[in-house]
Amino acid sequence: MLPEEVKDNNLTGALDTPSSSVPGQGRVRIAGLSVVFGKGDAQTVALAPTDLNLEPGTFTALIGPSGCGKSTLLNAVAGFTPPTEGSVQVDGRLVSVPHPSVGVIFQNFALFPWFTARGNVEFALKRFRLSKQERRDRAMAALAEVGLSDHAMKYPGQLSGGMKQRVAIARTLSADPDVLLMDEPFGALDAQTRLRMHELLTGIWMKRRKTVLFVTHDVDEALRLADVIYVMSPGPGRIIEKVPVSLERPRPVDRMGDAFLTLRSQLLGLLRHED
Ligand code: ADP
């Protein structure tokens, strides 16, 4: 059952203009959320009833072994997967379908190969009531933010993996969502590129203070990026531990001190029990 007060205030169709994010927005309330796939003997409890709150402007990572429900949780927040029970609210409005106030970034970039970098960002802005010039300006500003001004007219096939993911980030940022969901966004990138992406994302997050929910199975990645890490466990998928990370930012890889190493051992210990 849905709470009565959120029924009339559903996050449904598209907005007229990109959401203009305001400090203090982007509060996510996940209450008794469970997701069950299939029926009878073929039933999988992908996510057991879960409560989770994301405060505005915080960076939260979900880690855990394959199949522990990380993507299922993220997809429910995105409005892609309907809850079997429970609810997700963003700023008091119920999430039932994808919505511009919640942006999603996937591992596989999901770019159109027949559009340039700029064209990909502009295309995503077509759902808003903007003039062609406004779309172009917004797209170029977003590409500048990810350091791709000089590559705006290149096609995805002419860009490296890291650059493609920058385009995908620009595309999502151009709509100025309050909440950013990232599902192993750097999983397909080489180690060096991944480190550069961590720096880029940390810089964007420090400047824009979006609420971020970031799925990874890489402990170091979670520790470099997040304020708080939730460790998940499979069978059924659930959160088993909350680990706050109070390391100062930025967190360059060559300056990870004792506090980092202690947290890393703690997290690896928790994950080892899940093997
Ligand atoms: P993770 O992201 O942690 O790897 P998932 O959320 O993808 O885990 O999956 C959690 C569980 O739900 C797994 O057992 C997976 O096989 C199952 N699952 C995920 N999506 C579906 C689906 N569409 N249909 C049936 N089972 C699914």
Side-chain angles (χ1 to χ4, degrees):
M1 280 295 288
L2 302 175
E4 206 54 46
E5 68 274 14
V6 298
K7 272 187 182 167
D8 295 335
N9 203 6
N10 244 347
L11 279 182
T12 49
L15 296 177
D16 282 350
T17 55
S19 72
S20 191
S21 69
V22 173
Q25 284 195 335
R27 183 182 305 280
V28 180
R29 291 265 174 267
I30 297 168
L33 174 71
S34 70
V35 177
V36 179
F37 292 110
K39 288 203 161 67
D41 289 348
Q43 202 173 65
T44 305
V45 182
L47 189 66
T50 295
D51 297 316
L52 181 63
N53 291 329
L54 309 181
E55 295 307 317
T58 54
F59 199 124
T60 301
L62 297 176
I63 63 169
S66 208
C68 69
K70 303 183 294 296
S71 296
T72 300
L73 178 48
L74 183 136
N75 287 336
V77 178
F80 297 146
T81 301
T84 304
E85 293 283 343
S87 64
V88 177
Q89 290 177 55
V90 174
D91 293 321
R93 291 169 298 178
L94 191 72
V95 174
S96 57
V97 292
H99 188 272
S101 65
V102 180
V104 191
I105 294 170
F106 300 102
Q107 187 181 117
N108 65 2
F109 323 126
L111 300 178
F112 293 120
W114 54 85
F115 286 147
T116 60
R118 189 183 73 188
N120 268 281
V121 181
E122 285 177 348
F123 185 78
L125 288 170
K126 280 205 166 159
R127 62 192 162 145
F128 302 112
R129 212 170 284 152
L130 294 171
S131 70
K132 202 172 164 195
Q133 190 58 48
E134 284 169 328
R135 264 205 305 275
R136 185 140 300 174
D137 291 347
R138 253 180 194 271
M140 287 309 294
L143 288 168
E145 194 168 356
V146 298
L148 282 186
S149 298
D150 294 343
H151 302 277
M153 300 316 288
K154 290 194 177 147
Y155 289 87
Q158 299 171 295
L159 300 173
S160 67
M163 289 159 106
K164 284 184 211 165
Q165 195 55 292
R166 283 171 194 251
V167 176
I169 292 171
R171 179 180 54 189
T172 302
L173 287 178
S174 69
D176 205 17
D178 298 313
V179 180
L180 205 51
L181 307 177
M182 307 184 84
D183 195 350
E184 303 210 30
F186 310 138
L189 306 178
D190 64 76
Q192 277 308 316
T193 306
R194 197 188 267 230
L195 293 181
R196 282 205 299 277
M197 297 303 286
H198 292 165
E199 282 161 24
L200 176 80
L201 180 59
T202 298
I204 290 171
W205 178 81
M206 288 176 81
K207 196 168 113 210
R208 297 239 204 167
R209 290 286 169 162
K210 308 246 172 243
T211 307
V212 179
L213 183 61
F214 188 103
V215 164
T216 179
H217 50 241
D218 179 343
V219 166
D220 285 2
E221 181 165 74
L223 280 172
R224 288 200 75 208
L225 295 171
D227 297 310
V228 57
I229 300 174
Y230 288 93
V231 182
M232 295 186 68
S233 174
R238 65 201 187 281
I239 291 171
I240 56 162
E241 191 79 40
K242 174 184 181 179
V243 179
V245 183
S246 51
L247 303 171
E248 246 179 67
R249 291 186 175 88
R251 301 170 183 166
V253 76
D254 52 347
R255 272 189 275 139
M256 293 303 192
D258 289 346
F260 179 92
L261 295 176
T262 305
L263 284 167
R264 179 200 262 163
S265 318
Q266 183 189 351
L267 288 162
L268 289 174
L270 286 163
L271 291 171
R272 207 164 296 128
H273 288 299
E274 301 309 315
D275 285 346

